[in-house]
Every structure is written in structure tokens, then in C-alpha cells.
Amino acid sequence: MTEYSRTNEFLRLLMANQKRIYAFILGMVPNHEDADDLFQETVLVMWSKFDTFSRGTSFTAWGMTVARFQILSARKRHSQRRLLFSENALELLQKDSGHFVERIDERVRALRNCVRKLSEK
């Protein structure tokens, strides 16, 4: 695979799944700023480890796993800050969030449809 096609494949998969991965991160950290930083770190790690991604498997699940390790790493770096979730809690949240994250696009479409029906007031 050429570098160009590798880059295109990664970008195509990332663009199709970024909302799900970001939603997972946002559910694990206390604020949007932390989620934004962690998402950027996660994407960089995903790109550097893209050769380890098994094509044909769930890119979202792989990205969520990478994100989980980034979240744990950030927790260790910021151990002086109050921790919201234990590592066991993060594992449970990751297991339970898969179904929700996979359906996020459907939920966003439904929400946009509802908002369109609202009056200007």
C-alpha cells in the first residue's frame, strides 16, 4: 500500500467515525476542553499505529480502545486533579457505551429533525 493510499484510507475511516470516537471521549472526561485535547491526542496515536489496525474490523471500536488508553494516560499525568472514574468504571463505561456510540448518527439526525420543527420563538 502506498503512503498516499494509506493516508486516504485512514482519513476516510476517521471522517466516517470521528463523531462516535469523540462522543465516547466526551462521556469519559469532565469537560469539552479535555475531550478536545484527548481527541487530538487519540487521532495522532491512531495515525501512528494505523498499521496495527485490522482492516475489516470496527474502526470505531479500535479508536475507542486507543482513546481509553489516552484517557488513562492523561489521568496519570494529571493525578493531582480530582478523578471522576476509576479504571474499572472506565472499562464498564466503554463496554456499555458501544451500542450508544454506534447509533450516535441516528440520534443526531433525529435531534436535528426535532429542532427543525420548532418555531423561531
Side-chain angles (χ1 to χ4, degrees):
M1 176 181 289
T2 68
E3 186 65 22
Y4 179 78
S5 61
R6 177 179 178 264
T7 301
N8 281 345
E9 181 181 9
F10 177 80
L11 290 174
R12 182 183 56 76
L13 289 167
L14 179 63
M15 297 303 287
N17 295 282
Q18 68 181 357
K19 289 178 189 173
R20 293 178 192 96
I21 296 167
Y22 183 80
F24 169 75
I25 293 169
L26 189 57
M28 300 291 164
V29 297
N31 61 59
H32 286 278
E33 291 81 17
D34 289 343
D36 291 346
D37 292 343
L38 283 164
F39 180 72
Q40 289 177 10
E41 291 173 20
T42 297
V43 170
L44 289 173
V45 171
M46 289 170 67
W47 172 244
S48 71
K49 296 181 182 251
F50 188 54
D51 291 335
T52 67
F53 172 67
S54 300
R55 279 132 184 99
T57 63
S58 172
F59 188 83
T60 299
W62 179 68
M64 288 169 50
T65 300
V66 172
R68 180 174 168 267
F69 285 110
Q70 290 305 114
I71 292 165
L72 292 173
S73 176
R75 287 182 64 220
K76 288 177 185 167
R77 285 192 312 264
H78 303 290
S79 61
Q80 71 276 10
R81 291 168 64 180
R82 190 180 123 191
L83 301 178
L84 297 179
F85 300 118
S86 69
E87 287 187 31
N88 288 339
L90 283 174
E91 275 186 45
L92 290 171
L93 286 169
Q94 181 181 8
K95 288 177 186 174
D96 289 344
S97 66
H99 176 70
F100 173 79
V101 170
E102 291 294 331
R103 296 186 60 213
I104 198 160
D105 292 334
E106 178 184 325
R107 291 171 183 253
V108 168
R109 279 191 298 275
L111 180 59
R112 285 185 180 145
N113 189 35
C114 289
V115 169
R116 272 191 291 254
K117 293 178 183 178
L118 295 174
S119 69
E120 286 294 318
K121 291 183 180 183

